[in-house]
Amino acid sequence: MNDALARPAVVSRISDLIGHTPLLELCRTETGSRLLLKLEMYNPTGTAKIRMARAMIDAAEQAGELRPGGRIIESTSGNTGLGLAVIAAERGYAFTAVVDHHAAADKLRGMKALGTELVYVVDDGTEELATAAREELAEDMARGQDNTIFTEQHNNPANGVGYFPVAHELHQALDGDIDVLIGAVGTGGALCGTARELRKLVPEFTTIGVEPKGSIAFGGPAHDYYQSGTGTPEGAEIGALVDFDLIDEGVKVGDVEAFAAARAVARTGLLIGGSAGGVLYAALTRLPSLPPATTMVALVNDGGEKYLDTVFNDAWMNARNLIDHSIEREIDEQLTKLRRI
């Protein structure tokens, strides 16, 4: 392994464990096309977003915007906040997360356990996603405060830079054999940051972006959705990191299909998050029609352990009419067939 990409045998900080996440071949077709999962839940905090959390703090320090003893403020649905909480704890910063009750409860509890101050933009218990209101409050809280930054993940260039190493990890692991890159589009940092750097290494591949139905990055109509940490809800601006020149195709996946995929994949032994289920659903839909010997890489940015009270909880799912056993069975059968080839 290239020394630049190798992890030391012993590390001294949690953030030294970021990256070098594994690739899992989930399945392959009779024509030799395969679906590989980049398992970002093997980062600290169980998510890809700690990569960009570190990059945003590095950039703020280098610019002199954040000094010892300072405060970080961010609007987050959970995973970015978990990453920032770790970096803040390591470097001695205070961290305030502006949140809503749409976030998975375990993410909120995790941030609090790591020493984060939680500020709810709406504290009436509603589950509605309040991205625009969160960002407005976070910006207001940071304005005019000494040694305080609003990291503003949706428009922070360092967000995308944080995912450049993903491209190098994929290139090294697959020796450039990548035909399709598919991933969720929220801030745009993970998919577009990876794709931007990967195009320097692998000039010919297709990038597919996935967002929830109800999100507006790839057009309307807009409506509420339950997939967490992804998409652009009505009233929020599409992030500056969503680079449509880098995305060859944008697709939408509904909550029912996304969660069905996550639940079906769990029965293979792998727990993934709800929005990762949307990516998997889109990937599995396309896999049979790909040219022979195609390598498709799906960015699985989140593990499923944070969603045991929601996506993997029948009572929660039934109360919101999100379970469709027929779709789950179809995915089960597809995975069983493809995993036996």
Side-chain angles (χ1 to χ4, degrees):
M1 180 179 286
N2 186 316
D3 288 343
L5 291 178
R7 177 184 294 154
V10 178
V11 301
S12 58
R13 299 178 302 176
I14 296 296
S15 60
D16 291 334
L17 298 172
I18 297 172
H20 319 289
T21 53
L23 278 165
L24 171 72
E25 181 178 301
L26 181 66
C27 53
R28 70 168 57 215
T29 68
E30 293 179 345
T31 63
S33 293
R34 56 183 180 160
L35 174 58
L36 307 182
L37 310 184
K38 181 65 167 163
L39 298 180
E40 288 290 279
M41 71 278 281
Y42 287 95
N43 283 302
T45 71
T47 171
K49 290 193 174 183
I50 195 170
R51 292 182 185 263
M52 63 94 148
R54 178 175 62 180
M56 292 192 300
I57 299 310
D58 285 346
E61 290 175 342
Q62 290 163 12
E65 297 169 352
L66 188 62
R67 304 179 303 281
R71 178 174 293 275
I72 302 160
I73 300 176
E74 180 56 272
S75 159
T76 175
S77 60
N79 282 333
T80 299
L82 286 167
L84 287 169
V86 169
I87 306 302
E90 280 190 346
R91 303 187 188 183
Y93 299 122
F95 173 47
T96 298
V98 181
V99 300
D100 55 39
H101 288 281
H102 182 84
D106 279 351
K107 295 180 184 179
L108 301 174
R109 288 192 287 260
M111 284 190 283
K112 192 170 182 179
L114 289 164
T116 301
E117 176 193 24
L118 300 182
V119 175
Y120 287 86
V121 67
V122 177
D123 204 14
D124 59 4
T126 179
E127 292 184 344
E128 289 183 9
L129 185 59
T131 303
R134 286 196 331 245
E135 299 219 348
E136 183 178 350
L137 178 57
E139 184 175 13
D140 286 345
M141 291 176 65
R143 186 180 293 112
Q145 299 300 310
D146 181 54
N147 199 15
T148 298
I149 62 163
F150 170 33
T151 41
E152 198 179 3
Q153 59 175 313
H154 284 84
N155 295 302
N156 191 326
N159 177 344
V161 172
Y163 294 102
F164 285 3
V166 178
H168 291 274
E169 291 170 28
L170 291 174
H171 181 256
Q172 183 185 63
L174 299 173
D175 196 25
D177 181 18
I178 303 169
D179 301 297
V180 181
L181 178 70
I182 184 168
V185 176
T187 68
L191 181 64
C192 295
T194 301
R196 181 178 302 281
E197 188 71 3
L198 193 57
R199 290 194 186 280
K200 300 175 184 177
L201 307 169
V202 182
E204 299 284 337
F205 68 92
T206 298
T207 303
I208 300 174
V210 182
E211 70 172 351
K213 287 183 178 178
S215 175
I216 62 171
F218 301 132
H223 56 74
D224 292 342
Y225 54 86
Y226 285 101
Q227 292 171 66
S228 177
T230 187
T232 306
E234 186 174 22
E237 293 185 5
I238 298 172
L241 300 168
V242 180
D243 188 338
F244 293 102
D245 290 337
L246 291 171
I247 301 173
D248 299 298
E249 181 183 356
V251 301
K252 294 175 178 287
V253 175
D255 290 333
V256 171
E257 292 78 11
F259 296 166
R263 289 160 65 96
V265 169
R267 290 188 281 273
T268 72
L270 178 67
L271 279 174
I272 64 174
S275 61
V279 173
L280 262 291
Y281 183 83
L284 289 169
T285 299
R286 283 157 178 70
L287 186 62
S289 62
L290 293 175
T294 295
T295 296
M296 175 186 282
V297 176
L299 301 177
V300 177
N301 288 338
D302 196 12
E305 292 81 359
K306 306 182 191 79
Y307 307 94
L308 299 179
D309 291 335
T310 55
V311 175
F312 301 103
N313 180 340
D314 284 0
W316 186 91
M317 293 280 287
N318 279 318
R320 293 157 181 80
N321 297 314
L322 292 172
I323 288 184
D324 189 320
H325 293 295
S326 65
I327 296 177
E328 288 189 39
R329 283 194 297 271
E330 289 174 7
I331 299 170
D332 280 332
E333 292 168 2
Q334 182 183 13
L335 288 172
T336 299
K337 176 184 176 183
L338 295 177
R339 287 167 67 84
R340 288 176 177 170
I341 293 173

